[in-house]
Amino acid sequence: MSERPVRRVEDYTGTCLVLRALNLFWMLVALMLTLGWPAVLVTAVALDAGLRRLRRAPVRD
């Protein structure tokens, strides 16, 4: 293999976060259109509870 200099890569964190938000949005819209608002509310509460639980979890090394 040829030795090439290691260069800095672009940071795609912002792009990734925007795409995750768009994916969540269209999934919730599809859920609302098929099952209605109660399903969206239950899903949102479940996602919120799961994220809060992950935030409280101890970090393992």
Side-chain angles (χ1 to χ4, degrees):
M1 292 205 299
S2 64
E3 293 291 325
R4 291 186 283 175
V6 177
R7 286 184 264 167
R8 211 179 172 117
V9 297
E10 293 184 42
D11 182 18
Y12 290 109
T13 305
T15 305
C16 183
L17 291 174
V18 169
L19 289 177
R20 282 186 184 189
L22 287 174
N23 279 331
L24 178 63
F25 175 74
W26 77 256
M27 284 188 249
L28 289 176
V29 168
L31 192 64
M32 181 200 58
L33 292 174
T34 58
L35 300 175
W37 279 108
V40 173
L41 292 175
V42 167
T43 303
V45 168
L47 284 172
D48 183 55
L51 289 173
R52 286 178 190 263
R53 187 173 182 188
L54 281 176
R55 198 177 315 150
R56 284 193 311 246
V59 178
R60 297 180 190 166
D61 290 328

